[in-house]
């Protein structure tokens, strides 16, 4: 038996959440085309041969501007330091950006075993990555390199097989049929936030958080879930609610369907939107979404 932690580290929109979901075979981390979707470390549990691979999806690393940003970046770096193996995920189309250079410089000081993973290779000629690989390996000690497409699954099996072989011997830390350690309450809030990303304007998602206030089992086996959406400004509340409540109904309906599928039971989801200035600087709000102050 083998078991170990693997951290996915990279710039925003490198595809970490998509790769985690593909490796786990289930949607554990929310995904959107917008950067900085992931706000906390999310654990995906993958069984491969006799190895339990504990994958940690982390927030994209960027220069923080507020307390929420600082907590997100801190969560990412903590994941890298705690991991047995760190996967440095780089968007093959973008190459060695300034953000990636900053991450590489930080990894020199704070991580141990590092594997390089180029993602989105379905959109580029792999031959173009050879000089880029050489440049990165000259800057950072890289054990292994992989080329994958998290979207199509190309190269993902090879990556999982290598992780299964390289992680240390030890007992499994979770039951083998578990997929994540994410509580259902937190999963519900994250799926609501995902739909806010998908359904609203560019400036709105980053000023929004969602918290599950109540998660109650019903006699028929279904569950009632009450989620509060907090926004920083009144105009954002109006955008999320939409004309005659049309937008909030769409957000709730799509989140409910996804949640019912993941929990394999009927879910009754109720949403309320509240303006709360400065929520992104409140310790209680940060802890509620899985971040430390």
């Amino acid at each position: 038996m083998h078991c170990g932690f693997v951290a996915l580290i990279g710039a925003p929109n490198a595809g970490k959440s998509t790769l985690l979901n593909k490796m786990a075979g289930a949607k554990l981390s929310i995904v959107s085309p917008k950067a900085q979707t992931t706000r906390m470390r999310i654990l995906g549990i993958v069984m491969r041969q006799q190895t339990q691979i504990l994958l940690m999806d982390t927030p994209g690393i960027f220069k923080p501007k507020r307390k929420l940003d600082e907590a997100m970046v801190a969560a990412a770096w903590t994941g890298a330091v705690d991991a047995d193996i760190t996967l440095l995920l780089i968007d093959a189309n973008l190459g060695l950006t300034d953000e990636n250079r900053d991450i590489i410089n930080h990894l020199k000081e704070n991580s141990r075993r590092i594997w390089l993973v180029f993602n989105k290779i379905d959109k580029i000629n792999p031959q173009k990555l050879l000089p880029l690989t050489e440049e990165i390996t000259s800057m950072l000690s890289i054990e292994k390199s992989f080329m994958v497409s998290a979207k199509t699954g190309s190269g993902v099996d090879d990556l999982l097989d290598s992780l299964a072989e390289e992680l240390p011997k030890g007992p499994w830390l979770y039951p083998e049929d578990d997929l994540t350690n994410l509580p259902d309450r937190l999963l519900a809030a994250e799926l609501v936030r995902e739909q806010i990303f998908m359904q609203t304007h560019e400036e709105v998602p980053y000023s929004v958080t969602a918290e599950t206030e109540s998660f109650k089992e019903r006699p028929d086996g279904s569950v009632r879930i009450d989620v509060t959406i907090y926004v920083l400004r009144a105009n954002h509340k109006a955008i999320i609610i939409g004309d005659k409540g049309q937008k909030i109904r769409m957000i709730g309906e799509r989140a409910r369907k996804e949640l019912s599928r993941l929990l394999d039971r009927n879910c009754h989801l109720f949403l309320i939107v509240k303006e709360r200035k400065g929520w992104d600087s409140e310790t209680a709000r940060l802890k509620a979404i899985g971040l430390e102050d």
Side-chain angles (χ1 to χ4, degrees):
M1 296 172 65
H2 293 246
C3 183
F5 287 90
V6 178
L8 280 65
I9 294 292
N13 266 9
K16 297 180 296 298
S17 296
T18 304
L19 181 58
L20 171 72
N21 293 341
K22 180 63 72 174
M23 295 169 86
K27 185 173 182 178
L28 304 179
S29 189
I30 67 174
V31 177
S32 89
K34 299 180 176 68
Q36 301 167 28
T37 302
T38 302
R39 284 180 175 168
M40 59 184 171
R41 283 182 290 169
I42 294 174
L43 186 71
I45 304 167
V46 177
M47 298 303 305
R48 196 76 169 183
Q49 303 164 20
Q50 290 298 307
T51 302
Q52 188 172 74
I53 305 171
L54 305 177
L55 296 164
M56 293 184 289
D57 185 18
T58 63
I61 296 171
F62 58 100
K63 292 182 179 180
K65 298 179 180 179
R66 51 183 177 163
K67 194 171 184 179
L68 172 63
D69 299 343
E70 292 171 353
M72 288 165 59
V73 173
W77 284 126
T78 301
V81 171
D82 292 344
D84 295 288
I85 296 174
T86 296
L87 302 182
L88 172 58
L89 201 64
I90 290 182
D91 184 333
N93 291 298
L94 299 179
L96 200 53
T97 63
D98 290 340
E99 286 179 323
N100 286 327
R101 291 181 185 277
D102 289 342
I103 293 170
I104 288 170
N105 289 331
H106 198 107
L107 284 173
K108 289 178 183 179
E109 306 170 2
N110 293 283
S111 195
R112 291 163 288 181
R113 304 181 64 185
I114 303 170
W115 293 6
L116 176 62
V117 180
F118 287 112
N119 188 27
K120 307 182 184 180
I121 61 164
D122 52 308
K123 299 180 179 180
I124 192 173
N125 184 347
Q127 294 296 325
K128 295 182 178 180
L129 296 179
L130 295 178
L132 183 58
T133 302
E134 293 177 356
E135 185 176 4
I136 293 174
T137 53
S138 70
M139 302 167 62
L140 186 65
S141 177
I142 300 291
E143 274 194 13
K144 297 185 177 185
S145 298
F146 297 85
M147 298 182 185
V148 307
S149 169
K151 184 178 180 179
T152 67
S154 175
V156 172
D157 282 337
D158 289 340
L159 176 57
L160 284 171
D161 287 340
S162 294
L163 289 171
E165 292 173 1
E166 293 290 337
L167 288 173
K169 291 182 179 180
W172 299 338
L173 299 182
Y174 295 90
E176 60 180 301
D177 57 349
D178 279 6
L179 287 175
T180 183
N181 68 341
L182 193 68
D184 291 345
R185 294 173 63 98
L186 202 51
L187 180 62
E190 281 290 277
L191 289 174
V192 169
R193 193 168 63 85
E194 177 183 46
Q195 287 305 316
I196 294 172
F197 266 86
M198 301 301 292
Q199 304 300 329
T200 61
H201 302 305
E202 186 70 30
E203 76 277 7
V204 174
Y206 305 106
S207 69
V208 170
T209 189
E211 294 181 26
T212 300
E213 306 290 349
S214 175
F215 195 101
K216 294 181 179 180
E217 304 279 349
R218 293 166 51 131
D220 62 359
S222 65
V223 60
R224 175 186 171 124
I225 306 167
D226 292 88
V227 174
T228 299
I229 300 168
Y230 291 106
V231 298
L232 291 174
R233 293 188 285 276
N235 67 316
H236 289 169
K237 179 178 178 179
I239 291 172
I240 290 176
I241 293 174
D243 184 36
K244 298 180 181 179
Q246 183 178 9
K247 186 74 70 176
I248 192 69
R249 283 196 297 271
M250 181 183 296
I251 290 169
E253 179 64 17
R254 295 191 178 186
R256 183 195 63 78
K257 287 181 178 179
E258 187 69 23
L259 192 59
S260 295
R261 187 183 65 81
L262 286 173
L263 299 183
D264 195 24
R265 64 163 88 178
N266 287 329
C267 296
H268 307 278
L269 181 62
F270 297 86
L271 306 180
I272 186 171
V273 187
K274 294 182 179 180
E275 180 187 358
R276 191 182 184 102
K277 295 180 180 179
W279 71 259
D280 55 350
S281 297
E282 295 179 15
T283 298
R285 298 282 78 76
L286 297 181
K287 289 185 176 180
I289 61 175
L291 292 170
E292 295 298 326
D293 186 5

